[in-house]
Amino acid sequence: MSPSLLRLPVDLPKMDLPSPCLCLVTNRQLIGCEEMLGAIKESVRGGVNMVQLREKDLPGRRLADLASRLSEVISSQTLLIINERIDVAAITESHGVQLGEEGLSTDAARAILGRDVLVGRSVHSVEGAKVAEKEGADFLLAGTMFPSSTHPGEEVAGPRLVTSITSECSLPIIAIGGINESNVASVIEAGAQGVAVISGILKSSDPNLTARNLMASMIAAM
């Protein structure tokens, strides 16, 4: 679909968050745009069932163009979520938006996108999770789990953050931060419904196999 044409969100039925959810967060600066699209295509074949478009440096038109290209390489059952840019989510074939902890309110997002899209909220604490739930978010992106090469220096909370949130909040949690095949089971066992991965898949020599292994580990840990 051309980014210049407004797509009313109600046109697409609201999709449920997959369980388990394997989310790939984009970062074209890691490997280049074309290589990234190829890696995404292969990882979706391997089990990735959500892609979050997160390219904060791109202006709106270029971001919308990239979202349209992503729609062409992922399967129809793979969720496409746009990070922060509600306007881009509104004019592309996306299923929702991921809001930062200090981003626009959930109500504001729904006022623009409609009721039939997913709204996620990034959180780093139990308090943030409780606020997100009260405001009507559909799911949480919680981190940082482990040391991450894409976000060096960030405070690491570990799977205990997931355990703490689940004791106070009923929203499904996607854990993020340094997740790989060796530690993915621990965050699922802590109560997460899924994980979000960046370099672990994008920089893999075999994104398809890496996605398969991550999905298999999550299923085994549930």
Side-chain angles (χ1 to χ4, degrees), residues 36-55:
M36 182 185 75
L37 289 170
I40 291 172
K41 185 175 182 178
E42 287 304 311
S43 67
V44 166
R45 289 175 176 172
V48 164
N49 46 28
M50 174 189 282
V51 175
Q52 181 193 143
L53 178 57
R54 185 180 184 273
E55 304 289 339

Side-chain angles (χ1 to χ4, degrees), residues 37-191:
L37 289 170
I40 291 172
K41 185 175 182 178
E42 287 304 311
S43 67
V44 166
R45 289 175 176 172
V48 164
N49 46 28
M50 174 189 282
V51 175
Q52 181 193 143
L53 178 57
R54 185 180 184 273
E55 304 289 339
K56 292 188 175 182
D57 64 309
L58 285 182
R61 181 177 296 184
R62 289 181 60 192
L63 190 67
D65 288 341
L66 183 53
S68 295
R69 293 191 67 189
L70 274 175
S71 295
E72 295 172 358
V73 302
I74 65 177
S75 75
S76 60
Q77 296 304 306
T78 303
L79 296 176
L80 177 57
I81 304 295
I82 309 299
N83 182 272
E84 288 284 357
R85 291 296 300 266
I86 296 174
D87 55 341
V88 174
I91 62 170
T92 59
E93 293 290 347
S94 63
H95 299 95
V97 64
Q98 178 69 38
L99 301 175
E101 197 159 26
E102 300 299 324
L104 287 174
S105 70
T106 301
D107 283 344
R110 296 201 190 284
I112 297 170
L113 297 174
R115 310 301 301 181
D116 297 324
V117 296
L118 290 168
V119 177
R121 176 73 70 179
S122 297
V123 299
H124 301 86
S125 66
V126 174
E127 291 72 22
K130 292 168 70 174
V131 170
E133 183 174 41
K134 183 178 180 180
E135 291 185 347
D138 293 303
F139 66 91
L140 306 173
L141 189 70
T144 301
M145 293 295 110
F146 307 102
S148 168
S149 61
T150 54
H151 293 84
E154 285 194 2
E155 183 178 354
V156 174
R160 67 182 180 276
L161 175 61
V162 175
T163 303
S164 298
I165 291 175
T166 56
S167 68
E168 300 285 342
C169 178
S170 62
L171 292 180
I173 299 169
I174 300 175
I176 190 170
I179 294 171
N180 54 43
E181 295 174 45
S182 68
N183 59 34
V184 63
S186 64
V187 295
I188 299 301
E189 290 167 353

Side-chain angles (χ1 to χ4, degrees), residues 24-44:
L24 174 56
V25 181
T26 73
N27 187 337
R28 76 192 193 290
Q29 295 181 349
L30 285 179
I31 58 173
C33 189
E34 296 305 319
E35 291 81 359
M36 182 185 75
L37 289 170
I40 291 172
K41 185 175 182 178
E42 287 304 311
S43 67
V44 166

